[in-house]
Amino acid sequence: MSPLSRIPGIVTTDHVFRVPLDHGDPSGEAIKVFAREVVAAGRENDELPWLLYLQGGPGGKANRPLGRDGWLDRALDDHRVLLLDQRGTGRSTPANRQTLARRGDARRQADYLAHFRADSIVRDAELIRRQLLGEDGKWSLLGQSFGGFCTLTYLSLAPEGLREAFVTGGLAGLRRSADEVYRAAYPRVARKNAGHYARFPQDVAAVRRIAAHLIDRPAALPDGGELTVEAFQALGMMLGSGTGSYVLHYLLEEAWVEGPDGPELSDAFLAGAHAHLSFAVGPLYAVLHESIYGQRSVDAGGTEWSAERVRKEFPEFDAAAALATDEPVLFTGEMIYPWMFETDPSLRPLRETAQLLAERTDWPDLYDPQRLASNQVPVYAAVYHDDMYVDTAHSLETADSVAGLRTWITNEWEHDGVRVSGRRVLDRLMRMARGEI
């Protein structure tokens, strides 16, 4: 544990824990997991209940607080908050092209990364809970997006560690295969495209022009990566956030500059595209993304590049076909494709590792439907009406399957509602928990 750090409105303490790489082999290799404790300034010596925050992802580090703002402001009214850098991310033992290369060949890397899913993250959290709160201590849990998936795993594996749970945009389908997830996702992404083009009709022509250019001449990105038309379409991941449509529009506005040989894509546009497309900061997001849906009891557990395979069922996402007609070129969403491991320099060394993970079929189940059906931990979940990232119908199906789970269904916010709403989303869920709603 490090000394206290003071930031306006908050006091933080850094913690580092050693956990088994494989919780089934506690005496084997250990890795480091970092967590930051946050408490309201002036309350650092108070006896406060703990709230564990599990962020979205997979493969994303916890937010770095700059003060008492957003959902954290509401949480600190009542709690001592623990921000966990899930294994492999942030200041935890990193997993990226640089560190994984030291583990040997792709097979060894894939076997190592097989221990980086929700079940391992939950077991890390339980070990940390016992160290901080004691064997019988309980904490509250807030899971955003993939953190909500982890919450369902927590309720399946170790509900005795939880006092209550809050989920925002993260009720996964308990028995939904990766194919089912993406079959439901592509129509949602198409709706988000329609909303964007209705908001900015001038972008139809702008996107068609860029796509036609990239089909003929893929562009070099600042890191040496390649902006192909498929990579350009992947900017649609932005459309699932509250401000993403506007950010995308402004990026498109600055796409062109007059060069010595005529119009060319501007450095500003290419730098902006790179900032949204590169996985250098979070490579595990790409490497493990489809693995979060792998379970032995569901379609034999394998994923086999599901987003790429299922995309063929939705020809409206074919840019070349759209350009041959008057149809708009559609952006894709939260999908990971095998070509990303060719166009992104931070992913290229992990191409074979990702392939082996896509072929893997022995993924253990992440959820226990029977245990969830008899759950006794109070759970309060915000379900966003047309969430681009997590299917609303799958979320409500899961809500009906978890005893003691209450939902708040809203169209006021997109998937990132807990982040962009200030205090409001978390406050609503906490008022539900306190019986005020």
Side-chain angles (χ1 to χ4, degrees):
M1 185 172 75
S2 72
L4 302 180
S5 297
R6 296 187 179 274
I7 299 171
I10 61 174
V11 178
T12 70
T13 306
D14 293 353
H15 298 268
V16 177
F17 304 91
R18 288 183 65 80
V19 303
L21 169 65
D22 179 359
H23 283 273
D25 181 18
S27 62
E29 179 181 353
I31 59 174
K32 179 179 70 175
V33 170
F34 170 81
R36 179 173 280 114
E37 175 187 342
V38 186
V39 67
R43 303 196 69 188
E44 51 267 39
N45 296 318
D46 291 358
E47 291 290 331
L48 295 168
W50 286 77
L51 174 74
L52 171 67
Y53 176 66
L54 296 178
Q55 78 283 355
K61 65 184 179 183
N63 57 308
R64 271 41 183 169
L66 302 176
R68 185 167 172 170
D69 56 9
W71 68 264
L72 184 61
D73 180 47
R74 174 61 186 89
L76 293 176
D77 284 349
D78 313 307
H79 295 86
R80 188 178 299 271
V81 175
L82 193 70
L83 304 173
L84 184 70
D85 279 356
Q86 297 168 14
R87 53 171 55 199
T89 74
R91 289 176 59 187
S92 298
T93 300
N96 53 44
R97 65 174 180 84
Q98 295 161 301
T99 63
L100 290 169
R102 299 198 298 268
R103 304 201 70 89
D105 63 17
R107 175 64 63 186
R108 290 186 178 90
Q109 293 178 26
D111 289 343
Y112 176 76
L113 291 176
H115 298 293
F116 282 69
R117 298 201 311 155
D119 46 357
S120 295
I121 293 168
V122 166
R123 292 184 173 104
D124 291 345
E126 270 295 275
L127 186 152
I128 292 168
R129 177 188 64 81
R130 289 192 292 270
Q131 290 192 35
L132 292 178
L133 282 72
E135 193 67 36
D136 298 325
K138 295 178 183 287
W139 54 16
S140 300
L141 174 58
L142 170 59
Q144 156 64 12
S145 189
F146 173 69
F149 292 27
C150 293
T151 300
L152 291 169
T153 302
Y154 213 135
L155 293 167
S156 297
L157 297 181
E160 63 277 4
L162 300 178
R163 177 186 297 108
E164 61 191 353
F166 305 99
V167 175
T168 54
L171 290 182
L174 301 180
R175 285 293 180 262
R176 292 290 184 173
S177 68
D179 284 12
E180 290 176 295
V181 167
Y182 290 112
R183 226 166 250 128
Y186 279 108
R188 295 198 311 276
V189 177
R191 290 197 297 273
K192 295 299 183 183
N193 273 270
H196 176 80
Y197 285 133
R199 189 176 297 114
F200 300 111
Q202 66 270 40
D203 284 0
V204 173
V207 171
R208 286 176 61 88
R209 182 186 179 193
I210 296 169
H213 176 84
L214 290 172
I215 285 176
D216 291 336
R217 285 174 288 172
L221 292 171
D223 65 346
E226 188 177 37
L227 184 64
T228 62
V229 69
E230 292 84 5
F232 171 58
Q233 288 176 276
L235 288 171
M237 184 179 290
M238 286 189 274
L239 295 178
S241 68
T243 58
S245 176
Y246 311 105
V247 174
L248 178 59
H249 169 69
Y250 292 136
L251 180 63
L252 296 171
E253 278 188 332
E254 300 182 347
W256 298 96
V257 67
E258 196 65 35
D261 300 317
E264 60 185 66
L265 292 174
S266 71
D267 287 348
F269 171 77
L270 294 172
H274 167 256
H276 289 286
L277 295 174
S278 173
F279 288 99
V281 174
L284 285 186
Y285 183 93
V287 177
L288 290 177
H289 197 269
E290 288 195 359
S291 301
I292 68 175
Y293 302 113
Q295 300 187 82
R296 285 195 195 101
S297 62
V298 181
D299 275 2
T303 58
E304 298 178 3
W305 298 114
S306 176
E308 175 79 359
R309 289 186 294 99
V310 172
R311 181 174 176 167
K312 295 179 176 65
E313 301 174 18
F314 297 90
E316 60 268 35
F317 285 91
D318 185 324
L323 290 171
T325 67
D326 293 328
E327 293 299 314
V329 173
L330 298 188
F331 293 98
T332 52
E334 193 189 31
M335 291 85 173
I336 298 298
Y337 300 106
W339 54 258
M340 291 176 171
F341 292 82
E342 300 286 348
T343 61
D344 187 334
S346 66
L347 296 181
R348 281 177 195 150
L350 303 175
R351 180 176 56 242
E352 188 178 351
T353 302
Q355 180 64 39
L356 290 170
L357 290 168
E359 295 171 358
R360 198 176 189 107
T361 59
D362 61 346
W363 297 115
D365 286 351
L366 294 168
Y367 314 117
D368 184 338
Q370 290 186 327
R371 197 166 195 183
L372 292 172
S374 58
N375 169 63
Q376 296 183 19
V377 177
V379 185
Y380 306 90
V383 177
Y384 303 116
H385 178 67
D386 196 24
D387 191 327
M388 192 179 84
Y389 300 129
V390 179
D391 188 71
T392 304
H394 294 175
S395 293
L396 296 180
E397 177 184 85
T398 294
D400 285 341
S401 303
V402 180
L405 190 154
R406 291 181 59 195
T407 56
W408 166 43
I409 305 169
T410 176
N411 63 358
E412 187 175 0
W413 311 105
E414 294 284 351
H415 184 76
D416 58 349
V418 74
R419 179 178 63 83
V420 301
S421 70
R423 297 168 53 98
R424 283 175 283 181
V425 167
L426 183 57
D427 182 66
R428 169 87 182 209
L429 296 179
M430 287 189 163
R431 288 169 61 205
M432 289 169 62
R434 309 303 175 248
E436 298 171 13
I437 296 178

